[in-house]
Amino acid sequence: MHHMFVLPLFDFIHIIYFQVFNAKTAELLSHHQVEIQQKFPKEGWVEQDPKEILQSVHECVERTCEKLKQLNIDITNIKAIGVSNQRETTVVWDKTTGEPLYNAIVWLDLRTQSTVERLLNRIPGKNKSFFKPRTGLPLSTYFSAVKLRWLLDNVEEIKQAVDDGRAMFGTIDSWLIWSLTGGRNGGVHCTDMTNASRTMLFNIHSLEWDPELCQFFDIPMEILPKVRSSSEIYGLMKISSAVKSGALTGVPISGCLGDQSAALVGQMCFRDGQAKNTYGTGCFLLCNTGPKSVFSEHGLLTTVAYQLGRDKPVYYALEGSVAIAGAVVRWLRDNLGIVKSSQEVEKLAAEVGTSYGCYFVPAFSGLYAPYWEPSARGIICGLTQFTNKNHIAFAALEAVCFQTREILDAMNKDCGIPLSQLQVDGGMTNNKVLMQLQADILCIPVVKPSMPETTALGAAMAAGAAEGVGIWSLDPGDLTAVTCERFEPQINPEESEYRYARWKKAVMKSIGWETSEPHSNGTNK
């Protein structure tokens, strides 16, 4: 009986998961999760401690192995490990000590706004889409190159380490794989195509680091990881300061996918035109465009979907990224205190069943797709004396659905073939009010697999299918059919269109709020 492990599904709900799947049935056998602390040192700054991430992985491995022993499952049956991670988040570490040189700068961090403006000044016509033909991405605070540029400009230890040839850069996957395969004692410094394609330093056609882009951002190429496919043996687990238990020593790490690509694989979207939407901290709608890259005229990103083996074709996707989805529910809980738990938001919203004309645009980190407007900030409008916390809770859930609709509209225009249904996954899909609302606002059915852990499953599939492991077949005939829950649209399309038009009006009011440099007052809370 082959079982296999999936190593941290590091979904950006600041949680590290470690999950074990049966390679024959795709059944989840055991899991453990640890919450990670987010740091907000200044307004708009978001950081995580790379060492804490690593310790959490270690803890998850230990606990999961204990749980498997209790289930009488022999852990020598663990044949492979796959990594899935939040993309773009940037780490620089010292290869001689194995220590991070600064906290990881998280994808939705905004400190690089002035870096972006400085870089834009060097581009003909200040065109933020100037590098889109080779990267698929607009110049934005979102992607790694800009974060790395900030670190090189502002952190003395990093400048010094680069000069001394001691520095290594990577997204979270690279940091984990390097640390788990030995760290400073022979650790493998690599990343996969899906993560590389989110750095803004990677040419998505030649499929290698682009010397001209590295020159533009002034980033030394020797600090970059080697780019590999998403499914091959990168190295073996080694006991080191990072991996203290010998339980998994010698097990190959053989799968690596950025979280959104992993969800696409886990949802079995292997055909051109298949799409999924993941509701996590943000919302990410990816549509498989097959072995050809499609460029968006409507504010979507072109990204590498996966390459499941060194000799396999590279598949591309169009992606719509929304910065704030689940995070808006957390904001209602932690910042406004109108609910004690995320589940309560669903209850509040269900009690009224309408936002009563109130619209909430959660542009906390500016607006991502399809606007790419860093100047936008969050607004709640259409308030009257009648509005209460129930309406605001409803408006928050509606905001997630409207943002998804904007991306879906863009996707339909770019692909020319409208999606007939939307496959969904992620933590927020447990919210039935949200799922029904999503179907109503999109006017198409929303389909949720009964196994919500699609991101982890995707990483498991990539790891188990790798050459030299070969315990998981990705042939369409061998993939187990998944049972699903369907939500059909229940309101008339006219009402849906009316509400959507009002939403767009609210978005326009949120844009252009923040001018260039943030003021110093109140930024050091």
Side-chain angles (χ1 to χ4, degrees):
M1 176 86 161
H2 293 307
H3 297 298
M4 69 162 287
F5 248 155
V6 173
L7 195 113
L9 154 56
F10 181 35
D11 203 0
F12 172 72
I13 313 175
H14 3 295
I15 295 177
I16 289 224
Y17 299 88
F18 198 78
Q19 306 184 310
V20 189
F21 288 94
N22 179 321
K24 288 279 174 285
T25 62
E27 169 198 6
L28 181 62
L29 299 174
S30 176
H31 67 96
H32 187 74
Q33 63 190 62
V34 177
E35 192 150 342
I36 304 241
Q37 243 203 317
Q38 294 243 71
K39 299 176 169 57
F40 303 101
K42 293 184 185 179
E43 190 186 351
W45 292 33
V46 191
E47 298 178 359
Q48 287 165 338
D49 177 355
K51 288 182 76 170
E52 189 192 340
I53 291 171
L54 202 50
Q55 277 148 5
S56 305
V57 168
H58 170 56
E59 187 186 328
C60 281
V61 172
E62 300 266 283
R63 291 293 97 78
T64 309
C65 288
E66 284 164 20
K67 288 179 186 176
L68 288 172
K69 283 179 184 146
Q70 285 162 9
L71 294 167
N72 286 326
I73 292 174
D74 181 357
I75 57 175
T76 59
N77 279 332
I78 294 161
K79 300 299 180 207
I81 293 166
V83 176
S84 165
N85 58 293
Q86 48 166 321
R87 306 163 304 168
E88 298 97 15
T89 297
T90 298
V91 192
V92 179
W93 67 95
D94 184 324
K95 63 181 173 194
T96 58
T97 63
E99 295 287 311
L101 294 165
Y102 196 79
N103 276 338
I105 300 186
V106 175
W107 57 276
L108 43 62
D109 181 283
L110 284 179
R111 77 187 66 186
T112 51
Q113 192 48 53
S114 53
T115 311
V116 168
E117 285 169 21
R118 215 179 55 244
L119 291 165
L120 268 177
N121 287 333
R122 294 174 35 209
I123 291 176
K126 295 193 181 183
N127 173 9
K128 59 184 166 198
S129 299
F130 187 73
F131 296 122
K132 215 171 165 185
R134 52 174 105 176
T135 62
L137 315 171
L139 186 59
S140 157
T141 57
Y142 182 20
F143 308 109
S144 319
V146 186
K147 301 178 196 298
L148 183 50
R149 186 64 258 148
W150 186 92
L151 288 167
L152 292 166
D153 289 337
N154 293 281
V155 182
E156 199 45 59
E157 292 80 357
I158 289 183
K159 255 185 285 202
Q160 198 51 58
V162 168
D163 292 344
D164 300 348
R166 289 180 287 116
M168 281 184 164
F169 152 79
T171 38
I172 299 289
D173 55 307
S174 302
W175 162 244
L176 290 177
I177 292 173
W178 184 81
S179 302
L180 297 173
T181 55
R184 56 189 184 162
N185 302 314
V188 178
H189 188 212
C190 68
T191 187
D192 88 301
M193 303 253 176
T194 66
N195 280 294
S197 74
R198 312 297 290 196
T199 57
M200 255 199 127
L201 300 171
F202 185 72
N203 185 314
I204 60 174
H205 310 295
S206 68
L207 303 172
E208 48 196 29
W209 298 121
D210 190 305
E212 287 177 24
L213 288 166
C214 291
Q215 203 181 341
F216 174 79
F217 289 102
D218 193 17
I219 286 163
M221 292 184 80
E222 55 277 10
I223 72 172
L224 303 178
K226 186 173 166 26
V227 183
R228 320 260 298 253
S229 78
S230 310
S231 177
E232 60 177 272
I233 296 175
Y234 310 112
L236 308 180
M237 282 281 266
K238 267 193 197 155
I239 295 186
S240 65
S241 56
V243 188
K244 296 178 186 68
S245 88
L248 301 180
T249 307
V251 176
I253 299 180
S254 55
C256 178
L257 285 159
D259 51 7
Q260 303 313 324
S261 285
L264 195 71
V265 170
Q267 286 260 32
M268 324 274 177
C269 295
F270 293 128
R271 291 198 315 277
D272 188 347
Q274 283 185 299
K276 65 89 206 166
N277 196 26
T278 300
Y279 298 78
T281 294
C283 241
F284 300 90
L285 179 60
L286 269 73
C287 181
N288 188 332
T289 61
K292 59 183 187 310
S293 52
V294 173
F295 284 86
S296 171
E297 301 290 311
H298 304 95
L300 302 178
L301 310 176
T302 304
T303 201
V304 174
Y306 52 79
Q307 183 196 24
L308 296 172
R310 266 187 289 203
D311 311 322
K312 298 280 192 297
V314 170
Y315 273 64
Y316 293 91
L318 272 176
E319 171 175 336
S321 334
V322 166
I324 306 290
V328 73
V329 171
R330 248 195 339 271
W331 184 83
L332 292 177
R333 184 191 71 193
D334 300 345
N335 298 32
L336 284 197
I338 63 173
V339 291
K340 288 190 181 62
S341 71
S342 304
Q343 287 67 39
E344 238 183 290
V345 172
E346 181 175 5
K347 197 167 133 285
L348 281 184
E351 282 168 11
V352 285
T354 171
S355 67
Y356 210 79
C358 163
Y359 288 81
F360 186 166
V361 183
F364 302 157
S365 296
L367 288 168
Y368 281 20
Y371 299 99
W372 298 105
E373 275 294 347
S375 67
R377 286 297 175 272
I379 60 164
I380 301 176
C381 54
L383 300 173
T384 65
Q385 281 171 309
F386 183 74
T387 313
N388 62 29
K389 65 180 183 180
N390 298 70
H391 301 121
I392 289 175
F394 195 94
L397 295 184
E398 257 189 334
V400 175
C401 301
F402 285 134
Q403 291 185 102
T404 300
R405 162 95 193 248
E406 293 196 285
I407 293 176
L408 193 76
D409 282 0
M411 197 77 80
N412 288 341
K413 284 177 198 153
D414 282 324
C415 295
I417 316 153
L419 285 181
S420 53
Q421 60 173 39
L422 185 63
Q423 287 174 239
V424 299
D425 57 76
M428 285 188 95
T429 58
N430 296 327
N431 183 326
K432 287 193 172 11
V433 172
L434 178 73
M435 292 296 97
Q436 184 54 54
L437 201 52
Q438 188 66 86
D440 289 344
I441 287 171
L442 296 180
C443 305
I444 57 172
V446 167
V447 181
K448 176 194 169 192
S450 53
M451 211 283 292
E453 303 302 345
T454 50
T455 309
L457 179 61
M461 289 161 67
E467 194 182 331
V469 178
I471 56 171
W472 201 307
S473 166
L474 298 183
D475 292 339
D478 298 330
L479 296 172
T480 23
V482 195
T483 52
C484 293
E485 191 177 351
R486 280 175 77 86
F487 296 86
E488 301 281 347
Q490 287 172 357
I491 64 171
N492 68 43
E494 288 75 44
E495 190 198 335
S496 185
E497 290 307 319
Y498 172 75
R499 277 157 55 184
Y500 184 45
R502 295 282 291 239
W503 158 263
K504 289 192 143 162
K505 195 169 155 185
V507 169
M508 287 306 134
K509 295 200 181 308
S510 78
I511 291 174
W513 183 260
E514 199 50 63
T515 51
S516 182
E517 282 292 80
H519 303 297
S520 56
N521 57 344
T523 51
N524 292 310
K525 293 194 179 73

